[in-house]
Amino acid sequence: MNHRQRFLGTRARSLAALVAGLLLLAGAPSAFPLSRDGASVAAGCVSTPVAYRAAWEAREVRCVAPSLFGTALTRGQTSLYPSGFRYAWAGSSTNLEQYLKLRARYGDQPAKVGIGVLSYVGYPGLDDWSTPTDLEVYTLPAGVRAQVPAFETWFRLLDEEFGTTGAYPLEAQRDLVVAYSQLDRGEDVVAAFEEVTGCRRDALLAGEAPSAEIGCDRSFLGALAAAGPSPYDGGDSRTCFANFQTRYRGHRDASALRGALFQCQDAGFLNTGVGLGYNTYANPFVCRPADRQSVRERYTGREFILPSAPFTALPSHVTIPLDLGTPGRRGFLHAGYC
């Protein structure tokens, strides 16, 4: 989701099975409808944004209907994602259920709730994060569909939108997926990003921007340059991808493709490419310090992509302010929440 900056073989069988299932899900034509009649929602589940906010305020732990989604965003924003982004990242109903558990458990320590939500989403740089941030809970218009943001999904969407024959070669797509699916035990998606792009893990986690100085390779940096400014810097996703398609002159390898997604659609170095969240910080629901949590334990909830839209276009939505506490005083990110 916002500001995000990544299993086969005998070395990671359980993660491989999970990834395979998610990749199959990503390619399923049914995807996930964002508007439902509620007939299949279990009795007692929160099924409207207003009801979700009431459960949040009452510190109740409730099941949440799959028609509800949540996106963390900068306070004052009037659309699901900043201006220029074609797609918004959205947390699933299962994420929203976890946020209610955080609120119930740590309501008297609000920074653990607010920062916990952002960590679960996949924000980097949270030790010093100071931007006022809210959680938007919403439903979307009938006919709009959420999709699992597997790499295959992205390249299919790009082919559909731009007719990009040859822009994203299948061989490069394969190499990208393989790099993210053959991690040794203990390696994570940041390691996959480093393998594909050359950008050093320690520098990325320290907040440094991609550059040759931190080891980023020519293909990755060339893709960033060809694509032009990201939507965060005044560009827009459509122009960004179109620029990459027509202006990039280097080898269209996995690194270049990863650069296009990084620059144009906020698929940062923590993005898993399989529809799960991930963070190197302590998982709020695992009672151990971050360095004693396994890679598997630091994967979080399900995430989706959907067309970004102004709030005025949504059937219903509520804004929940997140209390982030004081920057620099979030030792629980490393020491653990409990």
Side-chain angles (χ1 to χ4, degrees):
M1 309 209 46
N2 274 24
H3 306 283
R4 308 184 156 64
Q5 298 291 94
R6 187 202 74 48
F7 310 140
L8 285 159
T10 57
R11 298 171 294 185
R13 285 193 184 93
S14 59
L15 279 178
L18 175 61
V19 169
L22 285 164
L23 289 174
L24 286 172
L25 180 59
S30 59
F32 286 86
L34 299 186
S35 179
R36 306 206 177 186
D37 59 12
S40 62
V41 177
C45 289
V46 171
S47 59
T48 68
V50 170
Y52 185 87
R53 182 170 58 191
W56 175 279
E57 292 173 348
R59 294 171 60 173
E60 295 177 344
V61 176
R62 303 273 300 278
C63 58
V64 176
S67 56
L68 294 188
F69 289 80
T71 296
L73 41 79
T74 299
R75 187 161 299 157
Q77 199 169 297
T78 58
S79 58
L80 291 177
Y81 233 61
S83 176
F85 278 102
R86 175 72 177 86
Y87 292 94
W89 295 82
S92 66
S93 59
T94 54
N95 289 39
L96 291 173
E97 290 173 353
Q98 293 295 85
Y99 303 160
L100 290 178
K101 292 177 184 177
L102 270 178
R103 169 73 171 164
R105 184 178 301 181
Y106 298 116
D108 295 330
Q109 303 173 72
K112 286 187 175 181
V113 180
I115 293 296
V117 168
L118 300 189
S119 180
Y120 206 79
V121 166
Y123 275 53
L126 288 177
D127 294 278
D128 299 308
W129 184 263
S130 60
T131 303
T133 307
D134 297 331
L135 174 65
E136 199 73 19
V137 179
Y138 52 90
T139 59
L140 290 183
V144 179
R145 306 184 72 82
Q147 301 194 63
V148 178
F151 292 128
E152 182 277 337
T153 302
W154 280 118
F155 298 123
R156 175 176 56 79
L157 289 171
L158 290 170
D159 283 345
E160 289 176 354
E161 185 156 357
F162 296 105
T164 52
T165 303
Y168 305 97
L170 182 59
E171 181 179 350
Q173 295 182 37
R174 179 202 64 197
D175 291 345
L176 180 58
V177 171
V178 168
Y180 276 75
S181 63
Q182 291 188 329
L183 298 175
D184 288 332
R185 185 178 297 276
E187 289 187 312
D188 65 3
V189 297
V190 188
F193 188 89
E194 181 176 30
E195 177 185 343
V196 169
T197 69
C199 304
R200 291 198 308 274
R201 172 195 184 91
D202 58 344
L204 293 169
L205 292 175
E208 295 191 42
S211 68
E213 285 68 31
I214 69 166
C216 301
D217 66 32
R218 181 176 297 179
S219 292
F220 182 76
L221 294 176
L224 301 189
S230 81
Y232 284 126
D233 297 317
D236 67 87
S237 294
R238 184 174 180 82
T239 300
C240 186
F241 282 121
N243 285 344
F244 172 77
Q245 178 182 349
T246 59
R247 296 180 181 177
Y248 181 68
R249 295 290 181 263
H251 182 45
R252 291 182 182 266
D253 54 13
S255 182
L257 269 57
R258 193 65 184 83
L261 292 175
F262 181 99
Q263 187 76 347
C264 302
Q265 196 45 68
D266 199 24
F269 61 82
L270 292 174
N271 179 240
T272 66
V274 297
L276 290 179
Y278 181 78
N279 218 321
T280 57
Y281 293 121
N283 186 320
F285 300 101
V286 179
C287 289
R288 290 192 300 278
D291 61 4
R292 290 176 53 200
Q293 294 182 11
S294 68
V295 168
R296 180 170 182 154
E297 287 172 325
R298 291 199 294 269
Y299 282 87
T300 58
R302 300 165 68 199
E303 62 183 7
F304 299 97
I305 52 172
L306 43 88
S308 188
F311 297 158
T312 54
L314 305 177
S316 58
H317 67 98
V318 297
T319 303
I320 297 175
L322 298 176
D323 187 336
L324 306 181
T326 303
R329 300 181 62 182
R330 299 164 181 159
F332 52 84
L333 284 167
H334 305 280
Y337 285 67
C338 47

